[in-house]
Amino acid sequence: MQKGLIINSIVPLRHDPDDRSEMESQLLFGDTFDILQKRNQWRFIRNDFDAYEGWIDEKSFIKISDEQTDQLLSATDFYVADVVAYFKTEDGTKQYLPMGSRLPAYRSDSKSFRLNNDEYFIDTEVCAGRVDDEIFFRLIDRYRHAPYLWGGMTPFGIDCSGLTQMVYKISGRYRLPRNASQQAKHGKRISFDERQPGDLAFFVNDEGHIHHVGIVWFDNGIIHAHGQVRLDDLEPDGIYNKSTGNHTHTLVLIKRL
């Protein structure tokens, strides 16, 4: 099966092969995937990280060989940990990368990565493997005030489950699926009184379906994407929005990964 590697900074993953179709998620620079189907300039793909499927434009990626695939998938994953970073392209201009971008064949000694046998230098904070608590909570805090964007995966626009997936991905702590309802199937269920910062709290809509997730924070707080990535109060029955004075989400369970 043909593999691909994202070379654009941010790529919309769409429901249908059309620029006007709903964006269901995003792929970031360095993500790899299987190409399952072709339609004109569109490719139906399955993301390697979470098996999420959708359509992307062929101009956003390069094809990679089986040998390159083996090298990428067997190597340590290095992720951009700054809100934004950049490297200089062959023509001397800059390409900016959002937090969570994966740097293929990254070398920490030279602060460089390789793409198509070319070496690019990038001076940014990176994360590789499981990070300690201090870095983990600092990563979460860097998404604060990011605007809400359905399907978004970056500090410039993100949704609730995108936030939780990206934080746990960059920190090397857990491989979460894409959607809140899928994420709720992972981890160990704990009581409200047992909660600790970093646990995941899940919320249901009026039909009883899980539709929202947030990260338990310090001092009875929760960080979640609702309008923007914000800090609110977590109470036994749900979220209390400190800005509006309203209860906005109904708590159903808390999980520890």
Side-chain angles (χ1 to χ4, degrees):
M1 184 175 294
Q2 180 65 60
K3 302 288 288 192
L5 173 74
I6 295 294
I7 57 172
N8 284 5
S9 302
I10 308 170
V11 176
L13 186 68
R14 299 195 182 277
H15 184 269
D16 296 308
D18 191 313
D19 283 318
R20 296 165 296 183
S21 177
E22 178 184 17
M23 183 180 76
E24 296 193 335
S25 189
Q26 291 176 330
L27 278 72
L28 306 185
F29 182 90
D31 283 340
T32 57
F33 54 88
D34 292 323
I35 300 174
L36 305 178
Q37 188 179 342
K38 176 181 179 180
R39 187 178 300 176
N40 298 322
Q41 83 272 23
W42 294 92
R43 301 294 180 271
F44 188 71
I45 65 97
R46 180 186 297 122
N47 187 14
D48 281 335
F49 184 81
D50 57 15
Y52 214 66
E53 297 179 353
W55 293 90
I56 64 174
D57 192 294
E58 66 177 354
K59 297 184 291 296
S60 62
F61 68 91
I62 58 173
K63 295 179 180 179
I64 54 178
S65 66
D66 291 341
E67 181 181 359
Q68 289 173 307
T69 299
D70 292 340
Q71 291 174 347
L72 285 170
L73 296 182
S74 63
T76 301
D77 290 332
F78 286 87
Y79 295 106
V80 172
D82 286 325
V83 171
V84 66
Y86 73 86
F87 66 93
K88 288 189 176 180
T89 61
E90 292 178 351
D91 62 4
T93 58
K94 296 176 181 178
Q95 180 171 341
Y96 291 89
L97 303 181
M99 187 174 175
S101 299
R102 181 170 175 250
L103 302 178
Y106 179 78
R107 293 182 54 187
S108 55
D109 56 347
S110 60
K111 294 185 177 181
S112 65
F113 66 93
R114 300 194 68 82
L115 188 62
N116 273 352
N117 296 318
D118 294 316
E119 187 173 21
Y120 300 93
F121 295 90
I122 183 166
D123 187 9
T124 183
E125 181 183 347
V126 297
C127 285
R130 184 181 177 89
V131 303
D132 61 27
D133 285 350
E134 180 182 356
I135 296 175
F136 175 64
F137 292 116
R138 189 165 74 231
L139 291 172
I140 298 172
D141 205 47
R142 285 178 180 168
Y143 284 97
R144 291 273 285 274
H145 308 298
Y148 181 88
L149 175 65
W150 175 266
M153 298 292 282
T154 79
F156 308 104
I158 200 163
D159 61 23
C160 64
S161 56
L163 171 66
T164 50
Q165 187 192 60
M166 290 304 297
V167 166
Y168 271 89
K169 176 182 180 179
I170 299 169
S171 65
R173 293 201 165 200
Y174 202 89
R175 196 182 188 97
L176 280 169
R178 179 63 179 89
N179 295 333
S181 59
Q182 298 169 327
Q183 293 178 4
K185 299 176 182 178
H186 292 249
K188 175 186 177 183
R189 184 166 187 165
I190 60 173
S191 70
F192 183 83
D193 291 337
E194 292 175 307
R195 73 195 186 284
Q196 295 177 1
D199 292 337
L200 298 184
F202 295 90
F203 306 85
V204 293
N205 58 20
D206 292 339
E207 288 74 40
H209 302 302
I210 291 176
H211 75 126
H212 191 67
V213 59
I215 304 170
V216 175
W217 202 241
F218 301 89
D219 300 323
N220 301 315
I222 182 168
I223 286 186
H224 64 129
H226 182 62
Q228 61 174 312
V229 177
R230 53 179 295 116
L231 174 63
D232 284 313
D233 291 335
L234 180 62
E235 300 180 347
D237 57 349
I239 295 177
Y240 177 74
N241 187 306
K242 295 187 286 188
S243 298
T244 64
N246 296 320
H247 289 87
T248 58
H249 297 81
T250 302
L251 180 67
V252 65
L253 61 90
I254 299 176
K255 287 289 194 76
R256 180 165 300 154
L257 301 176

